[in-house]
């Protein structure tokens, strides 16, 4: 990991990134507990790690990354994203938005606010995304 990414990730964790990663982790655990949500739990665990250390990583659509569609990028992925949005996506996105507004108030927090906004979009529609 380049020095700048390492520095930004450390500042990210200190300025509250750990709490949103904990939110993603909580969502993943709740999905596993319900048994029905197990297909979404792996994605939530992966995004929890991405939320903990977002600098130096990128979230991209899986069909663009691999060059072909799969089950998560087609119709079933869309249905999965709709279900995710209803059950967990909106409150995770709301948490990222609140954190972004709080960080955007300060000039030094602008890069972190931007990262929270990207994570808020990911929270709304995560199925079919690769980190």
């Amino acid at each position: 990991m380049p020095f700048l990414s390492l520095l930004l990730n450390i500042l990210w964790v200190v300025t509250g990134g750990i709490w949103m990663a904990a939110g993603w982790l909580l969502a993943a655990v709740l999905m596993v507990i319900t048994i029905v949500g197990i297909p979404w739990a792996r994605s939530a665990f992966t995004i929890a790690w991405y939320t903990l250390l977002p600098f130096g990583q990128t979230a991209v659509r899986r069909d663009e990354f691999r060059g072909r569609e799969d089950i998560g990028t087609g119709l079933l992925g869309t249905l999965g994203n709709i279900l995710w949005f209803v059950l967990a996506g909106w409150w995770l996105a709301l948490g990222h938005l609140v954190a972004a507004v709080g960080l955007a108030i300060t000039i030094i927090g602008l890069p972190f606010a931007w990262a929270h906004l990207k994570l808020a979009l990911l929270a709304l529609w995560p199925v079919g995304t690769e980190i």
Side-chain angles (χ1 to χ4, degrees):
M1 179 179 295
F3 177 74
L4 184 58
S5 294
L6 177 65
L7 179 64
L8 287 171
N9 281 323
I10 291 170
L11 289 172
W12 171 265
V13 170
V14 170
T15 59
I18 195 164
W19 296 111
M20 285 311 302
W24 277 97
L25 191 59
L26 175 65
V29 169
L30 290 174
M31 292 290 173
V32 168
I33 289 172
T34 64
I35 309 265
V36 176
I38 289 176
W40 293 275
R42 182 176 180 272
S43 295
F45 278 121
T46 303
I47 297 171
W49 180 253
Y50 176 56
T51 302
L52 184 62
L53 302 170
F55 296 98
Q57 300 184 63
T58 306
V60 294
R61 297 264 319 144
R62 205 164 49 229
D63 54 354
E64 293 173 7
F65 181 70
R66 294 185 180 165
R68 60 180 167 78
E69 280 196 15
D70 58 21
I71 196 166
T73 59
L75 179 62
L76 287 176
T78 301
L79 293 173
N81 274 320
I82 291 169
L83 189 59
W84 170 265
F85 176 80
V86 171
L87 296 176
W90 67 271
W91 64 268
L92 285 166
L94 183 64
H96 283 294
L97 286 176
V98 168
V101 168
L103 287 166
I105 292 171
T106 67
I107 292 174
I108 199 165
L110 285 175
F112 305 117
W114 181 247
H116 272 296
L117 291 177
K118 291 193 294 187
L119 285 163
L121 288 174
L122 182 61
L124 293 175
W125 210 256
V127 177
T129 303
E130 178 116 357
I131 305 296

